[in-house]
Amino acid sequence: AIPSVGLVSTIAATYMLTNLPVDQVCALDSEDFPPLSMVYAYRPKFPVRIYADPKSKLSIFIAEVPLPPRVHRALALSLLHWATTHRCRQIVCLEGLPLPLDESPKDVAVWGVGSTDSARKTLDDAKIKQLKTGMISGVSGVLLNEGRWQFYDVITLLAEARVAIPDAHAAAKLLETVDALLPEIELDLEPLKEQAKALEAHLQRLREEA
């Protein structure tokens, strides 16, 4: 998960990290990353990290800050190398897709793209709509291309999200799809849905005050 439209990937990954029994296993750093530290429970952390749960065999990568485009290719290749070295079955990228301005949040859709025939079959089996035509940039785009080239399963899930605000509603829709795609994990999404309602009410109040 790297910050994207509506911060849906960041919200979704953060929710998984706080609701699944994962521990940090490594951090990534680069001269091209923003020079900062994230402080949680009194402790400093690198903003780009990988967590894992040995029982479910799940790893979660999160970048909590926007990363410059010049590092996207190198980061994608590093993630692919890490995944293949640790014999991960597949990589699932989380992304946001700009929601048309005339559509309401209740119309949010989630689309999938697979790098290989087996990845696309996984999407079909999970009844996830597949994107026929479009463009995916950044780390997810590089991972899809490299996955096709190396015959490695990469799936990108794209949730339609509002561009101007952190969209917790779209993040919840994205996680519903992750839950269907990965039978190894179970997510209780009700708290996030409640947070989405509270966030939308808060934003509505801000608009009215403005």
Side-chain angles (χ1 to χ4, degrees):
I2 289 176
S4 63
V5 176
L7 293 179
V8 291
S9 53
T10 307
I11 295 170
T14 300
Y15 191 78
M16 283 195 288
L17 292 177
T18 55
N19 287 274
L20 294 173
V22 295
D23 290 314
Q24 184 179 337
V25 293
C26 69
L28 288 82
D29 199 17
S30 164
E31 291 183 356
D32 293 314
F33 287 1
L36 52 83
S37 176
M38 312 296 292
V39 180
Y40 294 110
Y42 310 105
R43 299 179 180 181
K45 288 184 177 289
F46 286 90
V48 183
R49 307 182 299 279
I50 297 178
Y51 293 77
D53 171 26
K55 184 177 178 181
S56 65
K57 307 292 185 185
L58 174 73
S59 299
I60 300 174
F61 166 83
I62 185 169
E64 293 193 282
V65 294
L67 302 176
R70 65 178 175 274
V71 308
H72 288 180
R73 186 178 303 279
L75 178 57
L77 295 175
S78 294
L79 284 173
L80 185 58
H81 176 73
W82 191 92
T84 53
T85 300
H86 290 81
R87 295 181 296 180
C88 297
R89 184 179 77 238
Q90 64 184 0
I91 293 176
V92 179
C93 305
L94 306 180
E95 290 285 348
L97 196 65
L99 183 70
L101 294 177
D102 58 346
E103 292 190 26
S104 65
K106 70 179 68 172
D107 299 322
V108 166
V110 178
W111 304 86
V113 181
S115 63
T116 62
D117 289 340
S118 60
R120 289 185 284 276
K121 183 179 184 304
T122 299
L123 288 168
D124 278 336
D125 291 344
K127 296 180 172 54
I128 299 170
K129 294 180 290 185
Q130 295 190 47
L131 188 68
K132 183 177 181 180
T133 305
M135 181 173 65
I136 299 173
S137 61
V139 172
S140 297
V142 176
L143 282 171
L144 283 169
N145 290 344
E146 289 293 329
R148 181 180 181 184
W149 181 252
Q150 299 184 31
F151 302 102
Y152 183 82
D153 286 1
V154 176
I155 289 174
T156 292
L157 299 177
L158 305 108
E160 293 179 331
R162 290 167 287 181
V163 177
I165 61 170
D167 198 334
H169 180 79
K173 287 286 188 181
L174 189 60
L175 283 178
E176 283 181 6
T177 309
V178 171
D179 209 22
L181 188 67
L182 302 177
E184 298 87 353
I185 63 172
E186 290 185 11
L187 290 167
D188 177 12
L189 298 178
E190 288 307 314
L192 180 57
K193 292 176 181 177
E194 290 302 317
Q195 291 171 24
K197 293 175 184 176
L199 178 61
E200 287 164 10
H202 174 67
L203 292 168
Q204 182 61 34
R205 284 195 300 271
L206 289 180
R207 286 196 192 97
E208 290 170 359
E209 289 173 8

